[in-house]
Amino acid sequence: MTVNGAEDVLLVHGGTPLEGEIRVRGAKNLVPKAMVAALLGSEPSRLGNVPDIRDVRVVRGLLQLHGVTVRPGDEPGELVLDPTHVESANVADIDAHAGSSRIPILFCGPLLHRLGHAFIPGLGGCDIGGRPIDFHFDVLRQFGATIEKRADGQYLEAPQRLRGTKIKLPYPSVGTTEQVLLTAVLAEGVTELSNAAVEPEIEDLICVLQKMGAIIAMDTDRTIRITGVDKLGGYNHRALPDRLEAASWASAALATEGNIYVRGAQQRSMMTFLNTYRKVGGAFEIDDQGIRFWHPGGQLKSIALETDVHPGFQTDWQQPLVVALTQATGLSIVHETVYESRLGFTSALNQMGAHIQLYRECLGGSHCRFGQRNFLHSAVVSGPTRLQGADLVIPDLRGGFSYLIAALAAQGTSRVHGIGLINRGYENFMDKLVELGAKVELPGKALG
Ligand SMILES: CC(=O)N[C@H]1[C@@H](OP(=O)(O)OP(=O)(O)OC[C@H]2O[C@@H](n3ccc(=O)[nH]c3=O)[C@H](O)[C@@H]2O)O[C@H](CO)[C@@H](O)[C@@H]1O
Ligand SMILES: C=C(OP(=O)(O)O)C(=O)O
C-alpha cells in the first residue's frame, strides 16, 4: 500500500513536544451514517462539516452505486446527496467494498424501504474484538425482514412494508441502535427500543432524522420511541465535531509535553474525557471555538479507568490515553469493557520501554461481559517510563494513532508501518503533525 505515492511507512523522530493548532471536523462516527440517512429521503439532503477520511469515501462510493448523486455543496466540506433515483446496484460492484468499514450494515433498513431488498457485503472496521452483527439481524427480523447468508455476503428481503416492533437490546450497541433508527422511521407503527445506546453521535443522527420528518422520542432510561411515518424529506445539517479525534490530539499533547489548540473540539460531548484528563494532571481551557490541551509541567498522576457506553469513558479514547499513562507516576488501571481485545496494542508499547501488564480479570471494581471468559481486557500501567523509538506495525485505527503518539514521545527514531489505516478516521493527519512541529518523514517524499 502507498500513501500519497510513497511507501506506507512513516519515520518519526521523537522527543519534540507537539505545539500549535489543528482543526477537527465532523465525526467519523456520525458523518457516514448521516449520509446513509439521506437514502431515506424523497428530496436531496445537505451535510456540512464532512471530513475527508476513508470511511466517508467508502459510503460515498456505496451510495453512488445505488444511484444516489453525491456532489460537493457551496461551502468547503459540504456534500449534497440526491436520492431521487435510488436503484439496485450490481452485487459484484458492491462486493468491491467488502471489508472496507462497518457502515454497509446500516444500508439494510433504507434499502429495504426503498427497494424491498438489499445486499450487504462483508464488513470491515477495527480488529479489536469479534465484532459480531447478530443484534443487527435479530432486530431486522423483528421488523419483518428475511435474511439469507451466502458466501459473498447477506441478502435481505422485505416481502411487505416493515412493521414497528418492541425491541430490547442485550447490550447498548451503537450500530444496532442506529440500525433500529434508520429502519423504524419509515416502518409501519411504533417501535420501542430499550437498552439503546445514547452516544452523542446517535443523538446527532436523531437530529438529522427529525429534520427529515421523523418522529423520535428519547427517554432518560435508554428507551427510544419511534413513530413511523410514510415519507421523509431531505435535511440540512452540520455534523457534530469528532470528539474521538479531539481526544487523540489531547492525549498527544499530554504524552509529548506539548500544547495543542483543537479548533472545533466541543466540551459537551467530551465531559467524561475532560474529567479524566484533569485527574491525570493534564490542563485544558475551553472557549467557543475549541479546546486548548497542554501538559502543565510536573508529574502526571496515575488513575483507574474503565471504558463504557456513553456517558461513560468512550472506548475509542482509551488507546491514545494509555500512551500518556505510561508517563504518569505510579500504577494506572485500565478496564476495557466494550471490546474484548482492545489492549493488544500495548505489547508494542512495552517493546518501546513501557511497563504494561495485561490481565484476564476485571480490574478496577466492576464486572463486565468479559470477566471469566479468558480475554486479556484489563491492564496495569506502571510509570513513568522512558520510551525508545522502535519498528511499529499499526494494528487498528486508534492503536495506530497511539503508536504515532508513542513514537513522537519517544527518544530516537521509529518506523511506523501501515500508516494508511489512520486515514480511515483522521483527516490530513500528516499535515496536522507537521503543523504541530512533529519531525516526521515519508521515506522518498518531503512533508510540509
Ligand atoms: C463506525 C462506528 O460508529 N464505530 C463505533 C461504534 O462501533 P459499533 O457500532 O460496531 O459498536 P457497538 O456499540 O455495536 O459494539 C459494542 C459491543 O457490542 C457487541 N455487539 C455489537 C453488535 C452486535 O450485533 N453484537 C454484539 O455482540 C460488540 O462486539 C461490542 O462488544 O461504536 C463503538 C462503541 O462506542 C465505537 O468503538 C466505534 O468507533
Ligand atoms: C473502532 C472504531 O471504529 P470502527 O467501528 O469504524 O472500526 C474507532 O473509530 O475507534
Side-chain angles (χ1 to χ4, degrees):
M1 188 195 263
T2 63
V3 177
N4 300 338
E7 201 192 338
D8 191 15
V9 176
L10 190 69
L11 289 186
V12 180
H13 308 291
T16 308
L18 292 190
E19 284 178 354
E21 174 177 327
I22 51 101
R23 166 187 288 275
V24 294
R25 292 210 281 174
K28 156 189 169 285
N29 286 353
L30 175 273
V31 169
K33 298 152 189 188
M35 292 169 73
V36 176
L39 254 181
L40 292 162
S42 52
E43 295 157 6
S45 290
R46 210 169 262 274
L47 182 61
N49 209 18
V50 175
D52 182 15
I53 53 173
R54 205 172 79 203
D55 276 22
V56 167
R57 277 176 244 142
V58 167
V59 176
R60 186 179 178 146
L62 281 170
L63 286 170
Q64 285 168 333
L65 284 177
H66 284 290
V68 178
T69 313
V70 185
R71 62 171 177 82
D74 307 329
E75 304 289 324
E78 189 180 63
L79 286 182
V80 179
L81 306 114
D82 185 348
T84 4
H85 303 291
V86 172
E87 57 199 44
S88 301
N90 184 326
V91 167
D93 291 343
I94 301 179
D95 212 29
H97 289 269
S100 55
S101 89
R102 315 273 325 142
I103 311 299
I105 188 82
L106 296 178
F107 278 70
C108 293
L111 288 179
L112 288 173
H113 285 303
R114 292 293 298 252
L115 303 170
H117 60 265
F119 167 70
I120 307 301
L123 301 186
C126 286
D127 185 9
I128 46 185
R131 310 205 72 176
I133 44 176
D134 51 334
F135 302 167
H136 290 257
F137 291 140
D138 286 350
V139 301
L140 286 162
R141 282 194 190 94
Q142 272 190 252
F143 279 106
T146 61
I147 301 163
E148 191 191 335
K149 188 170 165 36
R150 296 191 203 156
D152 53 349
Q154 315 274 349
Y155 287 76
L156 291 90
E157 277 190 31
Q160 285 143 21
R161 184 177 174 190
L162 298 174
R163 289 177 315 275
T165 176
K166 202 167 168 170
I167 299 164
K168 183 170 193 309
L169 292 184
Y171 181 83
S173 149
V174 169
T176 318
T177 300
E178 292 161 342
Q179 182 77 265
V180 171
L181 288 168
L182 291 165
T183 307
V185 283
L186 283 181
E188 190 182 341
V190 175
T191 297
E192 184 186 284
L193 175 67
S194 48
N195 205 23
V198 292
E199 267 60 8
E201 293 79 12
I202 291 175
E203 275 194 36
D204 212 40
L205 182 63
I206 291 175
C207 291
V208 166
L209 294 167
Q210 191 177 49
K211 284 176 175 171
M212 298 175 79
I215 302 172
I216 303 172
M218 277 177 97
D219 289 352
T220 46
D221 63 349
R222 292 193 177 277
T223 301
I224 302 180
R225 240 173 236 94
I226 306 119
T227 307
V229 296
D230 292 337
K231 197 173 171 193
L232 293 170
Y235 65 79
N236 188 347
H237 189 76
R238 185 177 166 79
L240 91 165
D242 198 314
R243 66 194 171 110
L244 311 175
E245 182 183 357
S248 295
W249 292 110
S251 299
L254 203 53
T256 65
E257 303 191 1
N259 183 328
I260 304 179
Y261 182 70
V262 183
R263 188 167 291 281
Q266 210 179 47
Q267 177 183 20
R268 191 171 292 276
S269 61
M270 294 187 73
M271 284 187 152
T272 308
F273 178 82
L274 294 172
N275 287 335
T276 304
Y277 200 74
R278 185 165 273 160
K279 283 186 196 155
V280 179
F284 59 86
E285 189 175 66
I286 300 161
D287 65 35
D288 290 347
Q289 308 299 320
I291 307 181
R292 176 176 298 286
F293 296 95
W294 73 96
H295 188 309
Q299 295 190 343
L300 297 181
K301 289 171 271 200
S302 50
I303 52 160
L305 177 68
E306 184 164 271
T307 64
D308 205 348
V309 295
H310 187 77
F313 190 93
Q314 229 282 345
T315 169
D316 303 348
W317 290 330
Q318 178 259 108
Q319 290 160 295
L321 192 70
V322 162
V323 182
L325 291 180
T326 66
Q327 304 309 303
T329 304
L331 298 182
S332 292
I333 293 172
V334 179
H335 182 201
E336 170 59 57
T337 77
V338 181
Y339 294 110
E340 62 272 34
S341 309
R342 207 172 199 177
L343 290 171
F345 79 108
T346 55
S347 61
L349 300 184
N350 284 342
Q351 273 172 35
M352 298 177 81
H355 289 157
I356 304 174
Q357 177 85 40
L358 302 187
Y359 294 87
R360 292 186 162 76
E361 295 76 17
C362 297
L363 299 185
S366 64
H367 292 280
C368 76
R369 297 170 294 152
F370 309 134
Q372 319 294 331
R373 287 182 54 206
N374 230 8
F375 295 116
L376 289 166
H377 72 293
S378 294
V380 176
V381 185
S382 7
T385 44
R386 188 181 266 270
L387 301 179
Q388 294 294 335
D391 246 31
L392 304 162
V393 181
I394 284 184
D396 58 74
L397 178 61
R398 309 291 163 195
F401 198 84
S402 307
Y403 286 1
L404 282 183
I405 300 176
L408 290 160
Q411 299 299 313
T413 298
S414 297
R415 287 177 71 85
V416 189
H417 299 260
I419 48 158
L421 188 56
I422 296 183
N423 290 315
R424 194 158 91 69
Y426 293 85
E427 183 181 42
N428 295 334
F429 72 93
M430 279 206 266
D431 293 342
K432 290 178 183 174
L433 286 174
V434 172
E435 275 162 39
L436 294 171
K439 297 200 168 60
V440 291
E441 45 177 315
L442 282 171
K445 190 168 191 298
L447 284 176

